[in-house]
Amino acid sequence: VGHELPGIDSLGDLRGRRVLLRADLNVPLADGRIADDGRVRASLPTIARLTSAGARVLVCSHLGRPKGSPDPRYSLAPVAVRLAELLDRSVPMATDVVGESASSVAAGLPAGGVGLLENLRFEPGETADDEEFARRLAMLADVYVDDAFGAVHRAHASVSAVARLLPHAAGDLVRREVAVLDRLVEQPDRPYAVVLGGAKVSDKLPVVAALLGRADRLLIGGGMCFTFLAAQGFAVGRSLLEEDQVAACRDVLAAADAGQVRLRLPVDVAVAATTDDDRASVVPVDRIPADQAGFDIGPQTAALFAQELADARTVFWNGPMGVFEHEPFQAGTRAVAEAVARTRGLSVVGGGDSAAAVRALGIPENSFTHVSTGGGASLEFIEGRTLPGLAVLEER
Ligand code: ADP
Ligand code: MG
C-alpha cells in the first residue's frame, strides 16, 4: 500500500552535519542560459529546510547527457549562479565531482552553508551505478537526502549505490511527488482519464500498454498519435512517424478494443509544411496532405478530449498535444491544459515539456493538484513499476 519513505526528520539532529543532497537541477539550457528555472526553484524548500536545521549542504545533480567526461557545455556553473540568486547567498561550486575541488568545497562549508558539485555525469561511474564512485561521493558527507524525483527511475550511483552507503532519507519534494502519484496507482477515483502526447511514441508505448488495464480513458495526441493513426491505416503525410512501432500500436489498439479502456485518437489535426509556417490549416485525419505534417490536434479533437475529461475524477496528463513552442500550434495543448485544470478531482501534469508548456501558456500551476518535476519518472511510476531510487530509500 503505497510508499513509506523515511523523511528528513528521521535523520535526527542535523546541526553541523554534512548532507549530500541529490537534487534535480537538470534545467533546459539555451545558448548557455537557463531557459526555464522551474527545477531550481523546486529544489529550494528542501535546501532551505536543511540549512535552517544547521546542516552543511552539498548539492549534486546531473545536467543533460555528457558522455562520462567533463564537457563545458553541460557545466552546472550557470545553475550555481541561479541557485545563489534564488537563495540570496553564495554557493561555492566545485570544478569536479569527487576530486580535490569537491573535497575542498565540502570541507569549507560552514553550518547552514550550501555548495554544489559539478555535473555528476562528468564521471562514467554515475550512469554505471559504480560502487567505487558512490564511495567517493559518500565520503563527502555524513547523510544522504534524495530530492531528485526526476531521477528516481534511474539506477545511477547518485540515486542508488550512494544511498546504501549512508543514512538516507527522501526530501520533501520526493515525498510530495510520491504521495500524489501513489493516488494514481492505488484505487484512483473513477473515471480515471490519461492524456498522452509528446514526440516519441516509442518512449510512451510502455506506459500506454500498462494503462490499458488501469485507466478508463486514454486520449492520445501530440507527435505520437501519428504512428497510431498509421496503424489504423491513415496516410499521415510528413508527420512524425515511427515505422518500426506501427505493429506495436496496432496491438495496443486491438487490446484496447478487447478491454474496457476507451482509447481516443484525433479526428482532426492542424497541418503545415514546416513548424515555421505562420498559420496552420485544419484537416480531418483522413485528409492529411502528403507534403504536410500534423503539428497539433484540431479543434474537434480538442472538444472531444475536453468532453472525455469533463467528468473524470482522476486525470494524468503527459506530453504536449502539439508543437506548442510555435504559436500556430498551441491551441490543442492550451485546450487540453484548460480541460485538465477544470476537472474537479485529482489532476496531475507530468513531464518536463508539459510543465514548461503550462508555464509558457500562462495557466496557473495551482489550477492542477500537482505539476510533477519528473517526466520519465512519473511515467514509470504510473506504470506501477518499482523505481530503483525509491526502493533504495525504503531499505533500512
Ligand atoms: P514531456 O517532456 O512533457 O514528457 P515530450 O518530451 O514527450 O514531453 O514531448 C515534448 C515535445 O513534443 C515538444 O517539444 C513538442 O514540440 C513535441 N511535439 C508535440 N506534438 C508534436 C507533433 N505533432 N509533431 C512533432 N513534435 C511534436
Ligand atoms: Mg521532454
Side-chain angles (χ1 to χ4, degrees):
V1 284
H3 291 80
E4 297 283 347
L5 299 176
I8 289 169
D9 284 336
S10 71
L11 296 170
D13 189 355
L14 291 175
R15 255 173 303 173
R17 291 176 85 196
R18 300 174 304 162
V19 176
L20 180 69
L21 174 65
R22 176 51 159 108
D24 178 7
L25 305 176
N26 182 28
V27 292
L29 291 176
D31 306 320
R33 285 165 178 278
I34 298 172
D36 180 277
D37 67 359
R39 281 177 165 165
V40 184
R41 290 175 182 278
S43 74
L44 300 176
T46 294
I47 294 175
R49 177 169 171 187
L50 293 169
T51 56
S52 323
R56 298 149 69 187
V57 186
L58 193 59
V59 185
C60 63
S61 176
H62 77 285
L63 174 67
R65 296 186 177 220
K67 298 276 178 291
S69 58
D71 179 338
R73 288 173 302 169
Y74 298 107
S75 172
L76 277 167
V79 173
V81 171
R82 188 78 192 110
L83 196 54
E85 284 168 5
L86 292 167
L87 289 169
D88 195 23
R89 67 186 311 150
S90 78
V91 176
M93 185 181 150
T95 54
D96 57 27
V97 188
V98 287
E100 272 173 36
S101 174
S103 301
S104 94
V105 166
L109 283 180
V114 181
L116 180 66
L117 299 179
E118 186 49 287
N119 191 340
L120 289 159
R121 291 196 189 169
F122 286 1
E123 288 287 336
E126 166 64 357
T127 55
D129 199 16
D130 179 64
E131 278 288 327
E132 185 47 38
F133 172 61
R135 232 184 301 279
R136 295 180 67 189
L137 269 178
M139 277 182 347
L140 298 169
D142 306 307
V143 301
Y144 169 79
V145 173
D146 188 2
D147 213 24
F149 182 73
V152 292
H153 60 315
R154 308 270 188 219
H156 290 174
S158 68
V159 182
S160 174
V162 75
R164 293 206 170 82
L165 300 173
L166 291 170
H168 50 251
D172 296 345
L173 176 62
V174 161
R175 277 162 58 93
R176 196 166 65 246
E177 293 265 11
V178 167
V180 175
L181 293 171
D182 267 339
R183 292 169 62 194
L184 293 174
V185 178
E186 289 158 35
Q187 304 188 338
D189 288 340
R190 297 185 181 276
Y192 173 22
V194 176
V195 194
L196 292 174
K200 291 189 73 184
V201 73
S202 47
D203 284 349
K204 315 247 166 145
L205 271 180
V207 71
V208 174
L211 288 170
L212 288 175
R214 294 174 177 268
D216 302 303
R217 300 168 193 172
L218 216 47
L219 315 174
I220 296 180
M224 67 179 285
C225 77
F226 296 99
T227 306
F228 277 98
L229 291 171
Q232 287 186 321
F234 295 111
V236 298
R238 300 176 63 175
S239 310
L240 266 193
L241 173 64
E242 289 181 64
E243 291 278 8
D244 58 347
Q245 302 293 324
V246 173
C249 289
R250 204 174 284 130
D251 291 344
V252 165
L253 291 169
D257 272 343
Q260 87 287 29
V261 66
R262 196 149 79 207
L263 192 153
R264 294 283 202 193
L265 289 166
V267 293
D268 60 349
V269 290
V271 299
T274 76
T275 51
D276 291 329
D277 284 11
D278 47 19
R279 51 174 311 169
S281 21
V282 174
V283 297
V285 290
D286 59 357
R287 302 274 165 75
I288 299 174
D291 58 350
Q292 300 202 6
F295 292 124
D296 196 6
I297 58 172
Q300 276 193 50
T301 305
L304 177 81
F305 285 7
Q307 193 187 328
E308 295 281 6
L309 291 167
D311 66 335
R313 303 280 305 283
T314 304
V315 177
F316 177 79
W317 168 39
N318 164 267
M321 293 293 102
V323 186
F324 74 95
E325 297 91 340
H326 295 260
E327 204 272 331
F329 314 108
Q330 281 178 356
T333 302
R334 180 182 294 283
V336 161
E338 287 172 350
V340 174
R342 271 197 303 274
T343 57
R344 268 168 309 175
L346 178 71
S347 56
V348 180
V349 183
D353 292 297
S354 308
V358 162
R359 288 190 281 267
L361 297 174
I363 297 163
E365 283 188 51
N366 64 9
S367 44
F368 307 96
T369 312
H370 183 65
V371 179
S372 176
T373 53
S378 65
L379 286 173
E380 291 194 20
F381 196 112
I382 68 160
E383 279 176 47
R385 286 210 235 172
T386 300
L387 307 185
L390 298 180
V392 74
L393 294 177
E394 287 177 314
E395 288 171 19
R396 284 277 120 170

